[in-house]
Amino acid sequence: MARMDSYIAKLVAYGIEKGLVPEEERIYTTNLLLEALGQDSYEEPKEPLGDLELEEILQGLLEEAVAAGRIEDTITSRDLLDTRLMGALTPRPKQVIDQFYRHYEKSPQEATDFYYRFSQATDYIRSYRVKKDWKWKVDSPYGLIDITVNLSKPEKDPKAIAAARNAAQSSYPKCQLCMENEGYAGRMNHPARQNHRVIPIEIQGSRWGFQYSPYVYYNEHCIVFNGQHIPMKIDRAAFAKLFDFIKLFPHYFLGSNADLPIVGGSILSHDHFQGGNYTFAMAEAKIEKTFVIPGFEDVEAGIVHWPLSVIRIRAKESERLVELGTYILEKWRGYTDEAAFVFAETEGEPHNTITPIARMRDGVYELDLTLRNNITTEEYPLGVYHPHQELHHIKKENIGLIEVMGLAVLPSRLKAEMEELAFCLVNGEEIRARETLCKHGDWVEEFRGNYTFTRENVMDILKEEIGKVFVRVLEDAGVYKCTQEGREAFERFLQVL
């Protein structure tokens, strides 16, 4: 009991230190934690509490809960309980909303700074997990590309997978983006969200929510989502929604996944966008050619030097970009160029769509329109404009908004595989002889002869080569390649505008 009491006291002290819990609520919060942990007695520790490291405090409480038989020793059970514990420290939604908008009256950036710190303090953003991600940059013909190996999103263990499969099915909340997640206790097949607080905003006259991603793939990675559970759709209204948000938070960018399978995101069933306070390589990419679209002479337009096919338009008035974006989208939806293997539809299935990204730069509104096509063939069953099979050992998943902008989100398996691969390269061992590494065999043979591997340089070399693979992934996803033939085909589309 003494250890449990010490950790409870530390967690309450942490909440007070971070401004989550007022001193007047110390006893009340202690009792909430006792209830969550199934304890009916408590003695205030007499010794100094020491450092208030949240990861250590929660780990200690979880170990005590497992030892007492309060929870199963699985990642999912631990996450459900520690989120409930943090929920006891988290202020009520109205308090957080009021505080956010008090900061907003001073400046939008002050408001987002507050909310980002708050989301970390409540452990909604598990900063100690995010720190485990591998992150690096790689130079390329298109600029500095961001690479991350995602280690912060825990992989479920077999026990948790079985428990989730056997759990009673529920349609509440309908998905992980619904408003109803705020304060939800979670279950084996749906994350707990007692420590989650949503900021309500108005977009195109309707109620939307603003929150951060718990996995923050980049600085202040936010999600802006419709208050209603309705499917994503790229249309005029989507462009208008993007700029409504940019007007509220001009220091952020906001973009959308495409609205078709293969080239879209993982959640197409709920209308949402992603943004943040980060400058991606695509935003810094130069215009390789400008052009004028009749009727929109007041709007700057150009082809971006980027592996995917991007048209950038700029104007002082956001409405002009909404109008021109809609015009380009409608032309692209119905565009076919057999010589370039671009088909608007086959057998009634539409293929063309756009991944849009909006921002404000130097007082001017910008809209990047990334042309996408999800056609498949027998040779490329996962998509012609999708990472091709020879790259799947590094990246097989869809190329969504985040990748389009120049950030590779790579699977956690790569960490162990790269460490094992590094050992083999330094020690001259055969790669293909190892079951976990044989898929990397052809790739390694491409560069193995170019280097002398040492323990000091091997990981840097592998990171550089992984970056080169991701650039090829982006090039595969581009409808119009950065070649003379590809640019000529791009020009043919521009001529119909």
PDB file of all heavy atoms in Angstrom, residues 41-65:
ATOM      1  N   SER A  41      -8.538   2.856   0.976  1.00  0.00           N
ATOM      2  CA  SER A  41      -7.829   3.544   2.054  1.00  0.00           C
ATOM      3  C   SER A  41      -6.578   4.195   1.474  1.00  0.00           C
ATOM      4  O   SER A  41      -6.094   3.810   0.402  1.00  0.00           O
ATOM      5  CB  SER A  41      -7.441   2.572   3.174  1.00  0.00           C
ATOM      6  OG  SER A  41      -6.523   1.594   2.681  1.00  0.00           O
ATOM      7  N   TYR A  42      -6.072   5.199   2.215  1.00  0.00           N
ATOM      8  CA  TYR A  42      -4.926   5.960   1.711  1.00  0.00           C
ATOM      9  C   TYR A  42      -4.257   6.662   2.886  1.00  0.00           C
ATOM     10  O   TYR A  42      -4.928   7.150   3.807  1.00  0.00           O
ATOM     11  CB  TYR A  42      -5.420   6.990   0.689  1.00  0.00           C
ATOM     12  CG  TYR A  42      -4.380   7.980   0.230  1.00  0.00           C
ATOM     13  CD1 TYR A  42      -3.412   7.627  -0.716  1.00  0.00           C
ATOM     14  CD2 TYR A  42      -4.365   9.285   0.731  1.00  0.00           C
ATOM     15  CE1 TYR A  42      -2.469   8.544  -1.156  1.00  0.00           C
ATOM     16  CE2 TYR A  42      -3.420  10.209   0.304  1.00  0.00           C
ATOM     17  CZ  TYR A  42      -2.470   9.835  -0.642  1.00  0.00           C
ATOM     18  OH  TYR A  42      -1.538  10.741  -1.069  1.00  0.00           O
ATOM     19  N   GLU A  43      -2.934   6.703   2.847  1.00  0.00           N
ATOM     20  CA  GLU A  43      -2.174   7.444   3.852  1.00  0.00           C
ATOM     21  C   GLU A  43      -1.188   8.351   3.131  1.00  0.00           C
ATOM     22  O   GLU A  43      -0.382   7.888   2.325  1.00  0.00           O
ATOM     23  CB  GLU A  43      -1.430   6.484   4.778  1.00  0.00           C
ATOM     24  CG  GLU A  43      -0.755   7.192   5.938  1.00  0.00           C
ATOM     25  CD  GLU A  43      -0.169   6.204   6.939  1.00  0.00           C
ATOM     26  OE1 GLU A  43      -0.722   5.087   7.083  1.00  0.00           O
ATOM     27  OE2 GLU A  43       0.860   6.552   7.549  1.00  0.00           O
ATOM     28  N   GLU A  44      -1.276   9.630   3.429  1.00  0.00           N
ATOM     29  CA  GLU A  44      -0.391  10.610   2.767  1.00  0.00           C
ATOM     30  C   GLU A  44       1.076  10.279   3.098  1.00  0.00           C
ATOM     31  O   GLU A  44       1.438  10.155   4.278  1.00  0.00           O
ATOM     32  CB  GLU A  44      -0.735  12.017   3.260  1.00  0.00           C
ATOM     33  CG  GLU A  44      -0.042  13.127   2.512  1.00  0.00           C
ATOM     34  CD  GLU A  44      -0.618  13.364   1.129  1.00  0.00           C
ATOM     35  OE1 GLU A  44      -1.816  13.095   0.906  1.00  0.00           O
ATOM     36  OE2 GLU A  44       0.146  13.829   0.257  1.00  0.00           O
ATOM     37  N   PRO A  45       1.921  10.123   2.078  1.00  0.00           N
ATOM     38  CA  PRO A  45       3.334   9.804   2.337  1.00  0.00           C
ATOM     39  C   PRO A  45       4.018  10.920   3.130  1.00  0.00           C
ATOM     40  O   PRO A  45       3.747  12.113   2.915  1.00  0.00           O
ATOM     41  CB  PRO A  45       3.937   9.685   0.930  1.00  0.00           C
ATOM     42  CG  PRO A  45       2.777   9.442   0.025  1.00  0.00           C
ATOM     43  CD  PRO A  45       1.622  10.163   0.644  1.00  0.00           C
ATOM     44  N   LYS A  46       4.892  10.524   4.037  1.00  0.00           N
ATOM     45  CA  LYS A  46       5.601  11.506   4.866  1.00  0.00           C
ATOM     46  C   LYS A  46       6.927  11.916   4.233  1.00  0.00           C
ATOM     47  O   LYS A  46       7.430  13.008   4.479  1.00  0.00           O
ATOM     48  CB  LYS A  46       5.825  10.933   6.272  1.00  0.00           C
ATOM     49  CG  LYS A  46       4.516  10.717   7.043  1.00  0.00           C
ATOM     50  CD  LYS A  46       4.787  10.154   8.417  1.00  0.00           C
ATOM     51  CE  LYS A  46       3.510  10.083   9.254  1.00  0.00           C
ATOM     52  NZ  LYS A  46       2.440   9.293   8.610  1.00  0.00           N
ATOM     53  N   GLU A  47       7.507  11.018   3.401  1.00  0.00           N
ATOM     54  CA  GLU A  47       8.803  11.323   2.790  1.00  0.00           C
ATOM     55  C   GLU A  47       8.601  12.247   1.579  1.00  0.00           C
ATOM     56  O   GLU A  47       7.517  12.295   0.997  1.00  0.00           O
ATOM     57  CB  GLU A  47       9.517  10.036   2.365  1.00  0.00           C
ATOM     58  CG  GLU A  47       8.848   9.256   1.244  1.00  0.00           C
ATOM     59  CD  GLU A  47       7.726   8.343   1.723  1.00  0.00           C
ATOM     60  OE1 GLU A  47       7.414   8.363   2.934  1.00  0.00           O
ATOM     61  OE2 GLU A  47       7.171   7.631   0.860  1.00  0.00           O
ATOM     62  N   PRO A  48       9.667  12.981   1.188  1.00  0.00           N
ATOM     63  CA  PRO A  48       9.576  13.857  -0.003  1.00  0.00           C
ATOM     64  C   PRO A  48       9.191  13.043  -1.240  1.00  0.00           C
ATOM     65  O   PRO A  48       9.611  11.891  -1.398  1.00  0.00           O
ATOM     66  CB  PRO A  48      10.988  14.430  -0.129  1.00  0.00           C
ATOM     67  CG  PRO A  48      11.591  14.305   1.237  1.00  0.00           C
ATOM     68  CD  PRO A  48      10.998  13.067   1.825  1.00  0.00           C
ATOM     69  N   LEU A  49       8.426  13.652  -2.139  1.00  0.00           N
ATOM     70  CA  LEU A  49       7.931  12.926  -3.311  1.00  0.00           C
ATOM     71  C   LEU A  49       8.989  12.774  -4.396  1.00  0.00           C
ATOM     72  O   LEU A  49       8.914  11.866  -5.223  1.00  0.00           O
ATOM     73  CB  LEU A  49       6.706  13.651  -3.892  1.00  0.00           C
ATOM     74  CG  LEU A  49       5.467  13.673  -2.992  1.00  0.00           C
ATOM     75  CD1 LEU A  49       4.343  14.463  -3.655  1.00  0.00           C
ATOM     76  CD2 LEU A  49       5.004  12.253  -2.669  1.00  0.00           C
ATOM     77  N   GLY A  50       9.982  13.659  -4.418  1.00  0.00           N
ATOM     78  CA  GLY A  50      11.038  13.545  -5.439  1.00  0.00           C
ATOM     79  C   GLY A  50      10.560  14.032  -6.804  1.00  0.00           C
ATOM     80  O   GLY A  50       9.594  14.797  -6.919  1.00  0.00           O
ATOM     81  N   ASP A  51      11.238  13.557  -7.855  1.00  0.00           N
ATOM     82  CA  ASP A  51      10.909  13.982  -9.225  1.00  0.00           C
ATOM     83  C   ASP A  51       9.510  13.514  -9.622  1.00  0.00           C
ATOM     84  O   ASP A  51       9.095  12.400  -9.274  1.00  0.00           O
ATOM     85  CB  ASP A  51      11.927  13.418 -10.221  1.00  0.00           C
ATOM     86  CG  ASP A  51      13.313  14.014 -10.020  1.00  0.00           C
ATOM     87  OD1 ASP A  51      13.397  15.117  -9.466  1.00  0.00           O
ATOM     88  OD2 ASP A  51      14.309  13.362 -10.416  1.00  0.00           O
ATOM     89  N   LEU A  52       8.830  14.368 -10.361  1.00  0.00           N
ATOM     90  CA  LEU A  52       7.472  14.043 -10.808  1.00  0.00           C
ATOM     91  C   LEU A  52       7.493  13.720 -12.307  1.00  0.00           C
ATOM     92  O   LEU A  52       6.949  14.449 -13.139  1.00  0.00           O
ATOM     93  CB  LEU A  52       6.531  15.213 -10.514  1.00  0.00           C
ATOM     94  CG  LEU A  52       6.415  15.635  -9.040  1.00  0.00           C
ATOM     95  CD1 LEU A  52       5.529  16.853  -8.898  1.00  0.00           C
ATOM     96  CD2 LEU A  52       5.889  14.480  -8.186  1.00  0.00           C
ATOM     97  N   GLU A  53       8.153  12.617 -12.653  1.00  0.00           N
ATOM     98  CA  GLU A  53       8.211  12.166 -14.049  1.00  0.00           C
ATOM     99  C   GLU A  53       6.968  11.337 -14.347  1.00  0.00           C
ATOM    100  O   GLU A  53       6.772  10.268 -13.755  1.00  0.00           O
ATOM    101  CB  GLU A  53       9.471  11.343 -14.299  1.00  0.00           C
ATOM    102  CG  GLU A  53      10.761  12.146 -14.240  1.00  0.00           C
ATOM    103  CD  GLU A  53      10.862  13.163 -15.365  1.00  0.00           C
ATOM    104  OE1 GLU A  53      10.280  12.901 -16.450  1.00  0.00           O
ATOM    105  OE2 GLU A  53      11.484  14.214 -15.160  1.00  0.00           O
ATOM    106  N   LEU A  54       6.133  11.805 -15.276  1.00  0.00           N
ATOM    107  CA  LEU A  54       4.837  11.173 -15.495  1.00  0.00           C
ATOM    108  C   LEU A  54       4.968   9.717 -15.927  1.00  0.00           C
ATOM    109  O   LEU A  54       4.226   8.848 -15.423  1.00  0.00           O
ATOM    110  CB  LEU A  54       4.040  11.955 -16.548  1.00  0.00           C
ATOM    111  CG  LEU A  54       2.625  11.437 -16.817  1.00  0.00           C
ATOM    112  CD1 LEU A  54       1.788  11.459 -15.553  1.00  0.00           C
ATOM    113  CD2 LEU A  54       1.952  12.261 -17.914  1.00  0.00           C
ATOM    114  N   GLU A  55       5.864   9.411 -16.834  1.00  0.00           N
ATOM    115  CA  GLU A  55       6.011   8.029 -17.295  1.00  0.00           C
ATOM    116  C   GLU A  55       6.322   7.096 -16.127  1.00  0.00           C
ATOM    117  O   GLU A  55       5.739   6.018 -15.998  1.00  0.00           O
ATOM    118  CB  GLU A  55       7.114   7.939 -18.351  1.00  0.00           C
ATOM    119  CG  GLU A  55       7.291   6.516 -18.897  1.00  0.00           C
ATOM    120  CD  GLU A  55       8.390   6.415 -19.942  1.00  0.00           C
ATOM    121  OE1 GLU A  55       9.222   7.336 -20.045  1.00  0.00           O
ATOM    122  OE2 GLU A  55       8.416   5.397 -20.660  1.00  0.00           O
ATOM    123  N   GLU A  56       7.230   7.536 -15.261  1.00  0.00           N
ATOM    124  CA  GLU A  56       7.622   6.716 -14.099  1.00  0.00           C
ATOM    125  C   GLU A  56       6.461   6.546 -13.126  1.00  0.00           C
ATOM    126  O   GLU A  56       6.230   5.455 -12.589  1.00  0.00           O
ATOM    127  CB  GLU A  56       8.816   7.396 -13.410  1.00  0.00           C
ATOM    128  CG  GLU A  56       9.335   6.663 -12.187  1.00  0.00           C
ATOM    129  CD  GLU A  56      10.424   7.462 -11.478  1.00  0.00           C
ATOM    130  OE1 GLU A  56      11.313   8.006 -12.162  1.00  0.00           O
ATOM    131  OE2 GLU A  56      10.351   7.553 -10.233  1.00  0.00           O
ATOM    132  N   ILE A  57       5.698   7.625 -12.899  1.00  0.00           N
ATOM    133  CA  ILE A  57       4.564   7.563 -11.974  1.00  0.00           C
ATOM    134  C   ILE A  57       3.500   6.592 -12.488  1.00  0.00           C
ATOM    135  O   ILE A  57       3.017   5.715 -11.752  1.00  0.00           O
ATOM    136  CB  ILE A  57       3.951   8.966 -11.776  1.00  0.00           C
ATOM    137  CG1 ILE A  57       4.954   9.912 -11.122  1.00  0.00           C
ATOM    138  CG2 ILE A  57       2.672   8.873 -10.936  1.00  0.00           C
ATOM    139  CD1 ILE A  57       4.526  11.379 -11.165  1.00  0.00           C
ATOM    140  N   LEU A  58       3.117   6.744 -13.763  1.00  0.00           N
ATOM    141  CA  LEU A  58       2.087   5.876 -14.336  1.00  0.00           C
ATOM    142  C   LEU A  58       2.563   4.424 -14.385  1.00  0.00           C
ATOM    143  O   LEU A  58       1.788   3.501 -14.102  1.00  0.00           O
ATOM    144  CB  LEU A  58       1.698   6.361 -15.732  1.00  0.00           C
ATOM    145  CG  LEU A  58       0.940   7.692 -15.786  1.00  0.00           C
ATOM    146  CD1 LEU A  58       0.704   8.117 -17.223  1.00  0.00           C
ATOM    147  CD2 LEU A  58      -0.388   7.597 -15.043  1.00  0.00           C
ATOM    148  N   GLN A  59       3.837   4.244 -14.740  1.00  0.00           N
ATOM    149  CA  GLN A  59       4.383   2.879 -14.776  1.00  0.00           C
ATOM    150  C   GLN A  59       4.285   2.229 -13.398  1.00  0.00           C
ATOM    151  O   GLN A  59       3.900   1.057 -13.269  1.00  0.00           O
ATOM    152  CB  GLN A  59       5.846   2.927 -15.260  1.00  0.00           C
ATOM    153  CG  GLN A  59       6.531   1.569 -15.342  1.00  0.00           C
ATOM    154  CD  GLN A  59       6.003   0.697 -16.463  1.00  0.00           C
ATOM    155  OE1 GLN A  59       5.331   1.193 -17.363  1.00  0.00           O
ATOM    156  NE2 GLN A  59       6.278  -0.587 -16.398  1.00  0.00           N
ATOM    157  N   GLY A  60       4.612   2.996 -12.369  1.00  0.00           N
ATOM    158  CA  GLY A  60       4.531   2.461 -11.011  1.00  0.00           C
ATOM    159  C   GLY A  60       3.112   2.087 -10.625  1.00  0.00           C
ATOM    160  O   GLY A  60       2.862   1.018 -10.044  1.00  0.00           O
ATOM    161  N   LEU A  61       2.145   2.947 -10.945  1.00  0.00           N
ATOM    162  CA  LEU A  61       0.746   2.654 -10.630  1.00  0.00           C
ATOM    163  C   LEU A  61       0.242   1.435 -11.393  1.00  0.00           C
ATOM    164  O   LEU A  61      -0.501   0.602 -10.843  1.00  0.00           O
ATOM    165  CB  LEU A  61      -0.120   3.877 -10.943  1.00  0.00           C
ATOM    166  CG  LEU A  61      -0.011   5.044  -9.958  1.00  0.00           C
ATOM    167  CD1 LEU A  61      -0.653   6.294 -10.525  1.00  0.00           C
ATOM    168  CD2 LEU A  61      -0.638   4.672  -8.613  1.00  0.00           C
ATOM    169  N   LEU A  62       0.650   1.316 -12.654  1.00  0.00           N
ATOM    170  CA  LEU A  62       0.217   0.173 -13.461  1.00  0.00           C
ATOM    171  C   LEU A  62       0.802  -1.127 -12.932  1.00  0.00           C
ATOM    172  O   LEU A  62       0.121  -2.158 -12.884  1.00  0.00           O
ATOM    173  CB  LEU A  62       0.604   0.386 -14.927  1.00  0.00           C
ATOM    174  CG  LEU A  62      -0.132   1.535 -15.633  1.00  0.00           C
ATOM    175  CD1 LEU A  62       0.469   1.773 -17.022  1.00  0.00           C
ATOM    176  CD2 LEU A  62      -1.621   1.262 -15.752  1.00  0.00           C
ATOM    177  N   GLU A  63       2.062  -1.095 -12.528  1.00  0.00           N
ATOM    178  CA  GLU A  63       2.687  -2.307 -11.960  1.00  0.00           C
ATOM    179  C   GLU A  63       1.960  -2.735 -10.685  1.00  0.00           C
ATOM    180  O   GLU A  63       1.732  -3.928 -10.452  1.00  0.00           O
ATOM    181  CB  GLU A  63       4.171  -2.044 -11.662  1.00  0.00           C
ATOM    182  CG  GLU A  63       5.049  -1.829 -12.887  1.00  0.00           C
ATOM    183  CD  GLU A  63       5.113  -3.041 -13.803  1.00  0.00           C
ATOM    184  OE1 GLU A  63       4.869  -4.169 -13.333  1.00  0.00           O
ATOM    185  OE2 GLU A  63       5.392  -2.848 -15.004  1.00  0.00           O
ATOM    186  N   GLU A  64       1.597  -1.754  -9.862  1.00  0.00           N
ATOM    187  CA  GLU A  64       0.858  -2.069  -8.639  1.00  0.00           C
ATOM    188  C   GLU A  64      -0.519  -2.650  -8.971  1.00  0.00           C
ATOM    189  O   GLU A  64      -0.979  -3.597  -8.321  1.00  0.00           O
ATOM    190  CB  GLU A  64       0.701  -0.805  -7.783  1.00  0.00           C
ATOM    191  CG  GLU A  64       1.992  -0.278  -7.187  1.00  0.00           C
ATOM    192  CD  GLU A  64       2.583  -1.217  -6.156  1.00  0.00           C
ATOM    193  OE1 GLU A  64       1.829  -1.728  -5.301  1.00  0.00           O
ATOM    194  OE2 GLU A  64       3.807  -1.464  -6.211  1.00  0.00           O
ATOM    195  N   ALA A  65      -1.169  -2.109  -9.993  1.00  0.00           N
ATOM    196  CA  ALA A  65      -2.496  -2.589 -10.390  1.00  0.00           C
ATOM    197  C   ALA A  65      -2.426  -4.011 -10.942  1.00  0.00           C
ATOM    198  O   ALA A  65      -3.305  -4.840 -10.669  1.00  0.00           O
ATOM    199  CB  ALA A  65      -3.101  -1.650 -11.418  1.00  0.00           C
TER     200      ALA A  65
END
